[in-house]
Amino acid sequence: MSSTPIPGQPRRYRPEELEALRAKYRQERDRRIRPEGLSQYRRDRYATDPYTERTDRAPVTDLMDAVVIGGGFGGLLAGARLREAGLQRIRMIDEAGDVGGTWYWNRYPGVHCDVESTVYLPLLEEVGYVPKWRYAPGEEIRQHAVAIAKRFDLYADALFHTRVTELRWGDDAAQWHVTTDRGDRFRTRYAVISSGTLSQPKLPGIPGIETFAGHTFHTSRWDHAYTGDDLGLLADKRVAVVGTGASGIQVIPEVAKAAAHLYVFQRTPSTVDVRDNRPIDPAWGETLKPGWQRERMENFLTIVTGDHADEDLIDDGWTSTARLQRHMLTGTLDPTLTDEERAYLDELADIRKMDEIRARVDQVVEDPDTAAKLKPWYRYMCKRPGFSDLYLEAFNRPDVTLVDTADSGGITRMTGSTVAVGDEEYEVDCVIFATGFEVGVSGVISGTLPVLGRGGTPLLGHWGEGPRTLHGFYSHGFPNLFHLGSMQNAASVNFTHVLQEQATHIGAVVAEATRRGARRIEPTADAEQAWVDVIRETAPDNYAFRAECTPGYYNSEGKPRPLNNSFGPGPAVFHDLLRRWRAEGGMDEVLSAD
Ligand code: NAP
């Protein structure tokens, strides 16, 4: 699709060129579709924690003000705001050995957050920290999570390496009864569930995977004992990395430097845009005025959701692609345009971006055959966008081989010492799976965390065909129970911003309950139904877009679910709606004294 653009003019595309490109996208998509869809993956549960030793402890049987299930940023933010709301005994529970959530588990070399640290790391001003890097390494983020837990005294009652096995409401005392897999049985006034959306690692169901006699592990369970902390122990190893998503493109350059030989097994190439990471000048930190982080976060959110801002304070790969993100994340770009005009302009913007991404591959990768395989042929937001200034360069190394698995739908089989694609077998010592996570499968949704409300009603039974909440937080019949996450509210690429607004809301409702002496926080059945209706009416209709996309977790491997479950007008409108609800008597709807 390349043709030389006139300087200063956007490139024009003839109708037959557009048709040819659409056909190419469909053809590339069809090469990768697997009839078994989501069931191509194994549903192993990773019980082992390679980072913290599990220690014995006595079961607890006490009384808490709040239990917070999940020690990632959602749980930490909820814990912080509940502490500020005046709660004394707050118990964080996590299956991990410490707080940090995804940043606890993902410790692969090269791990970074690709959302700018000044907007991604929450509560920077409250903790008194200015990040060291524009895109922070995982360890800096994990340490920040620890700092939040300390700052808000969330360690005292925390239980790690612990999984909640049941939440059961006791109506007489208005308390939740909590049981865990460590024999704990305690009670709590409030319960918050923030168990994450990408937390269960998944492995491909490759025939023979269990027969492989070499070493294997998943990127989110990095085996430092095998690789050495500096990867020095890989020097004599032939290593395979399977997967080239956001994790793959970060880890591959690091393993490439260390291994005797690296084979990268790719099914779909990621988009790899410029990263431009650099240290943050501490002198810049000195100039910041109170409120600086909120200003940056709001500015980022405004731009990525397609609204106008006078200046772009972040000015990076996310803020420059707002039009492209609209399809997945919603936004209000150009409300004056007709749907047809908007679709056409979106497609043109998409082609320009993808042409730029493909041209970059040619500029960086020396071998034309390898470059051809690394070029992505789909619309920009069909996959999570990637950013790296090291990834494409790694394929110029003589000790790195790219193995394209698209035509066989991934790796064909594994034997005792090989990974095979079609008839070709590759002898390797170690296979690292960068194959991602199950999506949206929280304990509540999967049924591994049964929640029984008033009268013993199961939450999943009450929800029926899909979640039923007011504002995504609480359900009728399940008092004093809050959900954090992306269910029935509005998401953003800066997910910690969304979590912060949610935690602030919960904190404010609990503080008001305490002030009024209310025993129960619970929406009426009518309020819950009204919000379910709002979600049904406003949820973005991006089914057609996702159905056309190359398979991946954004479209349930090529079979998108028809129903979307988020608030269409987007996060900025949603946050404003919550603020107005709080200010204009909304609490009266959910607080009751009896
Ligand atoms: P992912 O995006 O789901 O990528 C999984 C990779 O494994 C894909 O390349 C997939 O190929 C490949 N794969 C799966 N089965 C295969 C098979 N049988 N044979 C060969 N390849 C196979 O997972 P991820 O990279 O861990 O990223 C998950 C999410 O975590 C991201 O989208 C992002 O939200 C988050 N994340 C964020 C950051 C950050 O900087 N903020 C960093 C890392 C991760 P196909 O594409 O063909 O399916």
Side-chain angles (χ1 to χ4, degrees):
M1 289 310 297
S2 61
S3 89
T4 320
I6 306 158
Q9 292 281 318
R11 157 105 162 74
R12 288 172 179 280
Y13 295 88
R14 295 188 303 279
E16 59 274 22
E17 276 187 293
L18 283 182
E19 260 324 306
L21 185 64
R22 289 178 191 144
K24 169 80 175 162
Y25 283 9
R26 274 195 293 273
Q27 182 198 355
E28 291 288 333
R29 167 185 183 275
D30 293 346
R31 280 173 79 197
R32 293 171 172 89
I33 288 273
R34 288 184 51 155
E36 63 276 48
L38 284 170
S39 59
Q40 67 182 280
Y41 296 102
R42 294 159 62 106
R43 304 205 62 197
D44 301 304
R45 276 191 78 85
Y46 275 76
T48 36
D49 175 353
Y51 313 123
T52 311
E53 199 174 327
R54 189 179 159 110
T55 50
D56 288 336
R57 64 168 176 80
V60 297
T61 54
D62 45 9
L63 176 64
M64 290 284 127
D65 294 324
V67 63
V68 178
I69 301 170
F73 278 128
L76 289 165
L77 289 162
R81 295 305 180 223
L82 290 175
R83 184 69 80 210
E84 287 172 340
L87 300 194
Q88 298 294 312
R89 303 209 59 185
I90 299 173
R91 168 158 294 147
M92 304 207 60
I93 299 195
D94 202 295
E95 292 183 57
D98 199 346
V99 298
T102 194
W103 304 104
Y104 176 86
W105 292 112
N106 285 283
R107 303 194 195 192
Y108 55 83
V111 59
H112 278 72
C113 182
D114 58 17
V115 176
E116 202 195 71
S117 56
T118 63
V119 297
Y120 180 80
L121 289 183
L123 310 187
L124 285 173
E125 290 189 68
E126 289 171 60
V127 174
Y129 185 66
V130 176
K132 295 188 172 48
W133 285 88
R134 189 170 184 216
Y135 300 98
E139 185 56 16
E140 185 180 359
I141 305 173
R142 195 179 71 76
Q143 290 297 342
H144 185 65
V146 169
I148 293 174
K150 287 182 179 161
R151 160 80 175 73
F152 292 94
D153 191 19
L154 298 173
Y155 275 119
D157 287 304
L159 298 176
F160 295 113
H161 286 154
T162 301
R163 185 166 60 84
V164 175
T165 50
E166 187 183 87
L167 282 179
R168 183 182 287 271
W169 176 250
D171 209 40
D172 294 347
Q175 288 169 346
W176 285 98
H177 295 250
V178 185
T179 48
T180 77
D181 64 348
R182 305 290 295 262
D184 307 303
R185 279 172 202 286
F186 66 94
R187 290 160 299 134
T188 176
R189 178 144 187 210
Y190 299 111
V192 179
I193 301 177
S194 178
S195 48
T197 49
L198 287 168
S199 50
Q200 280 304 320
K202 67 181 177 359
L203 291 181
I206 300 170
I209 190 172
E210 63 289 334
T211 65
F212 182 71
H215 203 70
T216 64
F217 54 92
H218 189 275
T219 40
S220 69
R221 300 289 186 279
W222 195 263
D223 191 341
H224 290 102
Y226 180 82
T227 64
D229 283 341
D230 61 355
L231 304 190
L233 300 179
L234 294 182
D236 60 351
K237 304 280 191 300
R238 296 157 302 175
V239 179
V241 171
V242 182
T244 53
S247 302
I249 70 173
Q250 292 184 339
V251 76
I252 282 163
E254 303 302 320
V255 178
K257 283 186 273 179
H261 198 96
L262 169 63
Y263 295 93
V264 175
F265 290 87
Q266 168 192 277
R267 189 163 61 186
T268 313
S270 277
T271 55
V272 186
D273 208 345
V274 174
R275 170 68 308 161
D276 190 22
N277 199 5
R278 51 180 184 262
I280 290 177
D281 183 354
W284 176 79
E286 308 282 311
T287 67
L288 296 169
K289 308 253 178 337
W292 68 268
Q293 186 178 29
R294 164 88 12 209
E295 190 191 359
R296 285 179 84 80
M297 285 166 57
E298 294 293 349
N299 180 262
F300 183 81
L301 191 72
T302 300
I303 294 173
V304 296
T305 52
D307 276 343
H308 172 75
D310 287 337
E311 64 177 324
D312 179 354
L313 295 174
I314 308 302
D315 189 20
D316 73 353
W318 291 111
T319 58
S320 66
T321 56
R323 179 184 287 284
L324 309 180
Q325 292 166 52
R326 205 179 63 82
H327 290 283
M328 300 306 285
L329 299 166
T330 77
T332 53
L333 274 175
D334 303 341
T336 57
L337 297 174
T338 66
D339 286 350
E340 214 171 48
E341 287 166 337
R342 191 178 304 167
Y344 178 68
L345 290 175
D346 285 356
E347 190 173 7
L348 285 191
D350 206 300
I351 297 171
R352 279 185 203 118
K353 184 75 205 170
M354 292 304 286
D355 271 352
E356 197 182 298
I357 298 268
R358 291 186 283 260
R360 186 165 183 248
V361 178
D362 280 330
Q363 282 155 18
V364 176
V365 179
E366 290 155 11
D367 173 48
D369 183 45
T370 306
K373 289 177 185 156
L374 286 166
K375 283 185 198 164
W377 295 99
Y378 46 79
R379 289 189 63 168
Y380 185 69
M381 282 306 290
C382 283
K383 292 251 175 210
R384 174 67 152 62
F387 305 89
S388 174
D389 298 333
L390 305 169
Y391 178 72
L392 295 171
E393 287 76 355
F395 294 94
N396 292 334
R397 297 179 64 102
D399 48 7
V400 174
T401 305
L402 178 67
V403 184
D404 186 14
T405 71
D407 284 327
S408 50
I411 290 168
T412 315
R413 66 187 177 279
M414 289 170 74
T415 68
S417 61
T418 67
V419 176
V421 178
D423 296 336
E424 205 71 47
E425 294 202 325
Y426 300 84
E427 290 266 347
V428 292
D429 302 298
C430 168
V431 180
I432 301 170
F433 289 102
T435 45
F437 304 86
E438 289 187 46
V439 178
V441 186
S442 71
V444 172
I445 300 281
S446 69
T448 54
L449 169 49
V451 178
L452 305 166
R454 199 168 26 244
T457 303
L459 182 59
L460 282 181
H462 171 68
W463 282 356
E465 289 178 5
R468 302 181 55 79
T469 68
L470 171 61
H471 299 153
F473 294 118
Y474 18 52
S475 299
H476 181 67
F478 299 81
N480 298 359
L481 171 67
F482 306 91
H483 305 271
L484 260 78
S486 54
M487 179 179 72
Q488 298 203 327
N489 50 47
S492 157
V493 290
N494 187 16
F495 200 53
T496 55
H497 183 161
V498 170
L499 291 170
Q500 224 171 122
E501 297 290 336
Q502 295 180 6
T504 298
H505 188 76
I506 291 174
V509 176
V510 167
E512 186 63 14
T514 308
R515 203 183 62 78
R516 294 191 194 181
R519 292 181 83 208
R520 288 177 178 76
I521 301 173
E522 180 187 356
T524 62
D526 286 348
E528 179 186 280
Q529 183 60 47
W531 189 248
V532 171
D533 292 342
V534 167
I535 294 293
R536 273 202 199 118
E537 282 155 22
T538 68
D541 180 14
N542 57 11
Y543 177 80
F545 176 83
R546 287 182 296 138
E548 281 284 311
C549 276
T550 191
Y553 80 82
Y554 273 18
N555 67 354
S556 311
E557 303 298 334
K559 296 181 183 171
R561 297 183 187 113
L563 284 181
N564 198 314
N565 205 22
S566 64
F567 178 65
V573 179
F574 181 63
H575 299 161
D576 192 50
L577 180 149
L578 292 182
R579 278 190 280 273
R580 279 191 288 112
W581 182 89
R582 294 197 297 267
E584 293 168 9
M587 306 271 192
D588 300 341
E589 272 183 38
V590 296
L591 301 183
S592 66
D594 54 346

